[in-house]
PDB file of all heavy atoms in Angstrom:
ATOM      1  N   VAL A 146       2.334   3.952 -13.972  1.00 84.00           N
ATOM      2  CA  VAL A 146       3.446   4.393 -14.868  1.00 84.00           C
ATOM      3  C   VAL A 146       3.355   5.827 -15.280  1.00 84.00           C
ATOM      4  O   VAL A 146       4.169   6.331 -16.011  1.00 84.00           O
ATOM      5  CB  VAL A 146       3.523   3.481 -16.133  1.00 84.00           C
ATOM      6  CG1 VAL A 146       3.861   2.059 -15.766  1.00 84.00           C
ATOM      7  CG2 VAL A 146       2.234   3.525 -16.884  1.00 84.00           C
ATOM      8  N   LYS A 147       2.298   6.488 -14.780  1.00 88.00           N
ATOM      9  CA  LYS A 147       2.090   7.985 -15.061  1.00 88.00           C
ATOM     10  C   LYS A 147       2.029   8.164 -16.554  1.00 88.00           C
ATOM     11  O   LYS A 147       2.677   9.104 -17.096  1.00 88.00           O
ATOM     12  CB  LYS A 147       3.168   8.777 -14.395  1.00 88.00           C
ATOM     13  CG  LYS A 147       3.168   8.721 -12.866  1.00 88.00           C
ATOM     14  CD  LYS A 147       4.252   9.574 -12.280  1.00 88.00           C
ATOM     15  CE  LYS A 147       4.199   9.465 -10.763  1.00 88.00           C
ATOM     16  NZ  LYS A 147       5.244  10.325 -10.113  1.00 88.00           N
ATOM     17  N   ARG A 148       1.269   7.331 -17.256  1.00 92.00           N
ATOM     18  CA  ARG A 148       1.076   7.487 -18.689  1.00 92.00           C
ATOM     19  C   ARG A 148      -0.375   7.298 -19.031  1.00 92.00           C
ATOM     20  O   ARG A 148      -1.121   6.532 -18.414  1.00 92.00           O
ATOM     21  CB  ARG A 148       1.898   6.460 -19.470  1.00 92.00           C
ATOM     22  CG  ARG A 148       3.429   6.595 -19.365  1.00 92.00           C
ATOM     23  CD  ARG A 148       3.858   7.879 -20.147  1.00 92.00           C
ATOM     24  NE  ARG A 148       5.281   8.048 -20.169  1.00 92.00           N
ATOM     25  CZ  ARG A 148       5.968   8.713 -19.252  1.00 92.00           C
ATOM     26  NH1 ARG A 148       5.320   9.255 -18.215  1.00 92.00           N
ATOM     27  NH2 ARG A 148       7.291   8.873 -19.374  1.00 92.00           N
ATOM     28  N   TRP A 149      -0.819   7.973 -20.110  1.00 93.00           N
ATOM     29  CA  TRP A 149      -2.133   7.856 -20.670  1.00 93.00           C
ATOM     30  C   TRP A 149      -2.125   6.703 -21.686  1.00 93.00           C
ATOM     31  O   TRP A 149      -1.228   6.626 -22.479  1.00 93.00           O
ATOM     32  CB  TRP A 149      -2.605   9.148 -21.274  1.00 93.00           C
ATOM     33  CG  TRP A 149      -2.763  10.225 -20.262  1.00 93.00           C
ATOM     34  CD1 TRP A 149      -1.778  10.981 -19.727  1.00 93.00           C
ATOM     35  CD2 TRP A 149      -3.968  10.679 -19.661  1.00 93.00           C
ATOM     36  NE1 TRP A 149      -2.322  11.890 -18.820  1.00 93.00           N
ATOM     37  CE2 TRP A 149      -3.635  11.701 -18.776  1.00 93.00           C
ATOM     38  CE3 TRP A 149      -5.331  10.316 -19.848  1.00 93.00           C
ATOM     39  CZ2 TRP A 149      -4.625  12.411 -18.057  1.00 93.00           C
ATOM     40  CZ3 TRP A 149      -6.298  10.987 -19.119  1.00 93.00           C
ATOM     41  CH2 TRP A 149      -5.951  12.022 -18.209  1.00 93.00           C
ATOM     42  N   VAL A 150      -3.170   5.888 -21.605  1.00 93.00           N
ATOM     43  CA  VAL A 150      -3.188   4.674 -22.408  1.00 93.00           C
ATOM     44  C   VAL A 150      -4.218   4.740 -23.501  1.00 93.00           C
ATOM     45  O   VAL A 150      -5.385   5.072 -23.239  1.00 93.00           O
ATOM     46  CB  VAL A 150      -3.490   3.417 -21.534  1.00 93.00           C
ATOM     47  CG1 VAL A 150      -3.541   2.159 -22.377  1.00 93.00           C
ATOM     48  CG2 VAL A 150      -2.419   3.296 -20.434  1.00 93.00           C
ATOM     49  N   LEU A 151      -3.801   4.518 -24.781  1.00 94.00           N
ATOM     50  CA  LEU A 151      -4.689   4.483 -25.881  1.00 94.00           C
ATOM     51  C   LEU A 151      -4.401   3.186 -26.627  1.00 94.00           C
ATOM     52  O   LEU A 151      -3.292   2.713 -26.735  1.00 94.00           O
ATOM     53  CB  LEU A 151      -4.484   5.670 -26.828  1.00 94.00           C
ATOM     54  CG  LEU A 151      -4.690   7.062 -26.224  1.00 94.00           C
ATOM     55  CD1 LEU A 151      -3.406   7.601 -25.649  1.00 94.00           C
ATOM     56  CD2 LEU A 151      -5.170   8.020 -27.313  1.00 94.00           C
ATOM     57  N   HIS A 152      -5.468   2.620 -27.238  1.00 94.00           N
ATOM     58  CA  HIS A 152      -5.342   1.428 -28.097  1.00 94.00           C
ATOM     59  C   HIS A 152      -5.614   1.889 -29.536  1.00 94.00           C
ATOM     60  O   HIS A 152      -6.797   2.150 -29.861  1.00 94.00           O
ATOM     61  CB  HIS A 152      -6.309   0.371 -27.650  1.00 94.00           C
ATOM     62  CG  HIS A 152      -5.923  -0.206 -26.281  1.00 94.00           C
ATOM     63  ND1 HIS A 152      -6.776  -0.938 -25.516  1.00 94.00           N
ATOM     64  CD2 HIS A 152      -4.736  -0.165 -25.585  1.00 94.00           C
ATOM     65  CE1 HIS A 152      -6.181  -1.295 -24.373  1.00 94.00           C
ATOM     66  NE2 HIS A 152      -4.977  -0.838 -24.404  1.00 94.00           N
ATOM     67  N   LEU A 153      -4.587   1.968 -30.351  1.00 95.00           N
ATOM     68  CA  LEU A 153      -4.734   2.630 -31.630  1.00 95.00           C
ATOM     69  C   LEU A 153      -4.456   1.683 -32.801  1.00 95.00           C
ATOM     70  O   LEU A 153      -3.651   0.771 -32.719  1.00 95.00           O
ATOM     71  CB  LEU A 153      -3.748   3.805 -31.713  1.00 95.00           C
ATOM     72  CG  LEU A 153      -3.845   4.847 -30.574  1.00 95.00           C
ATOM     73  CD1 LEU A 153      -2.833   5.992 -30.838  1.00 95.00           C
ATOM     74  CD2 LEU A 153      -5.267   5.418 -30.519  1.00 95.00           C
ATOM     75  N   THR A 154      -5.121   1.969 -33.895  1.00 95.00           N
ATOM     76  CA  THR A 154      -4.812   1.310 -35.165  1.00 95.00           C
ATOM     77  C   THR A 154      -3.606   1.924 -35.807  1.00 95.00           C
ATOM     78  O   THR A 154      -3.128   3.012 -35.364  1.00 95.00           O
ATOM     79  CB  THR A 154      -6.019   1.419 -36.105  1.00 95.00           C
ATOM     80  OG1 THR A 154      -6.197   2.803 -36.484  1.00 95.00           O
ATOM     81  CG2 THR A 154      -7.311   0.905 -35.497  1.00 95.00           C
ATOM     82  N   ASP A 155      -3.132   1.334 -36.887  1.00 95.00           N
ATOM     83  CA  ASP A 155      -1.956   1.902 -37.555  1.00 95.00           C
ATOM     84  C   ASP A 155      -2.222   3.279 -38.127  1.00 95.00           C
ATOM     85  O   ASP A 155      -1.417   4.173 -38.028  1.00 95.00           O
ATOM     86  CB  ASP A 155      -1.471   0.966 -38.699  1.00 95.00           C
ATOM     87  CG  ASP A 155      -0.859  -0.358 -38.166  1.00 95.00           C
ATOM     88  OD1 ASP A 155      -0.484  -0.344 -36.979  1.00 95.00           O
ATOM     89  OD2 ASP A 155      -0.742  -1.298 -38.946  1.00 95.00           O
ATOM     90  N   ASP A 156      -3.451   3.436 -38.682  1.00 96.00           N
ATOM     91  CA  ASP A 156      -3.793   4.756 -39.241  1.00 96.00           C
ATOM     92  C   ASP A 156      -3.876   5.781 -38.099  1.00 96.00           C
ATOM     93  O   ASP A 156      -3.426   6.956 -38.306  1.00 96.00           O
ATOM     94  CB  ASP A 156      -5.165   4.690 -39.905  1.00 96.00           C
ATOM     95  CG  ASP A 156      -5.088   4.044 -41.242  1.00 96.00           C
ATOM     96  OD1 ASP A 156      -3.976   3.846 -41.786  1.00 96.00           O
ATOM     97  OD2 ASP A 156      -6.171   3.644 -41.798  1.00 96.00           O
ATOM     98  N   GLN A 157      -4.398   5.423 -36.956  1.00 96.00           N
ATOM     99  CA  GLN A 157      -4.453   6.369 -35.859  1.00 96.00           C
ATOM    100  C   GLN A 157      -3.086   6.705 -35.319  1.00 96.00           C
ATOM    101  O   GLN A 157      -2.802   7.859 -34.937  1.00 96.00           O
ATOM    102  CB  GLN A 157      -5.324   5.762 -34.722  1.00 96.00           C
ATOM    103  CG  GLN A 157      -6.821   5.701 -35.123  1.00 96.00           C
ATOM    104  CD  GLN A 157      -7.583   4.826 -34.135  1.00 96.00           C
ATOM    105  OE1 GLN A 157      -7.031   4.142 -33.314  1.00 96.00           O
ATOM    106  NE2 GLN A 157      -8.923   4.886 -34.316  1.00 96.00           N
ATOM    107  N   ILE A 158      -2.181   5.748 -35.300  1.00 96.00           N
ATOM    108  CA  ILE A 158      -0.791   5.981 -34.857  1.00 96.00           C
ATOM    109  C   ILE A 158      -0.134   6.985 -35.824  1.00 96.00           C
ATOM    110  O   ILE A 158       0.555   7.917 -35.368  1.00 96.00           O
ATOM    111  CB  ILE A 158      -0.037   4.695 -34.763  1.00 96.00           C
ATOM    112  CG1 ILE A 158      -0.588   3.843 -33.628  1.00 96.00           C
ATOM    113  CG2 ILE A 158       1.481   4.938 -34.577  1.00 96.00           C
ATOM    114  CD1 ILE A 158       0.027   2.439 -33.578  1.00 96.00           C
ATOM    115  N   ARG A 159      -0.354   6.812 -37.105  1.00 95.00           N
ATOM    116  CA  ARG A 159       0.267   7.753 -38.054  1.00 95.00           C
ATOM    117  C   ARG A 159      -0.362   9.150 -37.893  1.00 95.00           C
ATOM    118  O   ARG A 159       0.316  10.173 -38.026  1.00 95.00           O
ATOM    119  CB  ARG A 159       0.032   7.247 -39.473  1.00 95.00           C
ATOM    120  CG  ARG A 159       0.972   6.088 -39.862  1.00 95.00           C
ATOM    121  CD  ARG A 159       0.910   5.774 -41.348  1.00 95.00           C
ATOM    122  NE  ARG A 159      -0.337   5.226 -41.723  1.00 95.00           N
ATOM    123  CZ  ARG A 159      -0.587   3.916 -41.757  1.00 95.00           C
ATOM    124  NH1 ARG A 159       0.352   3.067 -41.387  1.00 95.00           N
ATOM    125  NH2 ARG A 159      -1.778   3.473 -42.124  1.00 95.00           N
TER     126      ARG A 159
END
Side-chain angles (χ1 to χ4, degrees):
V146 294
K147 298 181 180 179
R148 291 291 184 270
W149 293 78
V150 178
L151 301 88
H152 293 161
L153 304 181
T154 64
D155 289 343
D156 285 345
Q157 291 168 349
I158 291 173
R159 286 191 290 269

